[in-house]
């Protein structure tokens, strides 16, 4: 029994499904079903930077990860989700921020405005 598609329509359907899957993987981190606003957009959480000398944003949720940039004290940031990583002053939570670049900030230095972010 051959498993190869025999019609052009079947081949086109497989190609379209593969393209949709590839596009989905390239669009960024996934969000959980039900974690959307009334318009179906991914929910965005907010927080305020509490680090007196500014918050260093990194490429991964680890203290030794490369610093991308910093955010000044008091700035409100958009949080996509949270995960665990290196401990910072006893707190191992890190937030993935979406302000201009995707970068990680230690949750110890971000005060939530509203509900706590979802898990990544």
């Amino acid at each position: 029994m051959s498993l190869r598609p025999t019609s052009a329509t079947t081949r086109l359907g497989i190609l379209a499904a593969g393209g949709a899957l590839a596009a989905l993987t390239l669009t960024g981190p996934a969000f959980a079903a039900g974690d959307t606003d009334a318009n179906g957009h991914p929910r965005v959480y907010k927080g305020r930077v509490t680090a007196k000398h500014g918050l260093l944003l990194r490429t991964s949720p680890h203290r030794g990860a490369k610093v991308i940039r910093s955010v000044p004290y008091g700035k409100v940031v958009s949080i996509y989700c949270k995960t665990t990583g290196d401990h910072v002053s006893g707190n191992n939570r890190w937030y993935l921020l979406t302000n201009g670049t995707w970068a990680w900030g230690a949750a110890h230095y971000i005060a939530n405005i509203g509900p706590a972010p979802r898990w990544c």
Side-chain angles (χ1 to χ4, degrees):
M1 176 180 195
S2 172
L3 296 178
R4 294 179 54 198
T6 56
S7 73
T9 306
T10 303
R11 285 189 208 119
L12 185 58
I14 292 171
L15 182 62
L21 181 59
L24 182 61
T25 359
L26 295 175
T27 58
F31 57 93
D35 199 22
T36 57
D37 64 15
N39 298 320
H41 299 108
R43 186 173 181 180
V44 177
Y45 301 90
K46 298 286 184 185
R48 185 175 309 280
V49 174
T50 61
K52 295 293 182 192
H53 299 289
L55 174 64
L56 297 178
L57 300 184
R58 301 178 180 275
T59 56
S60 66
H62 305 284
R63 294 170 58 173
K66 180 182 175 186
V67 174
I68 298 174
R69 63 187 176 91
S70 66
V71 179
Y73 172 80
K75 175 91 173 166
V76 173
V77 294
S78 297
I79 305 167
Y80 186 75
C81 61
K82 66 183 172 187
T83 192
T84 57
D86 287 349
H87 282 83
V88 176
S89 297
N91 185 340
N92 73 339
R93 301 270 165 79
W94 288 71
Y95 291 159
L96 180 57
L97 306 181
T98 63
N99 296 81
T101 55
W102 292 84
W104 293 95
H108 176 76
Y109 295 111
I110 302 172
N112 294 332
I113 299 171
R118 68 178 182 86
W119 289 96
C120 295

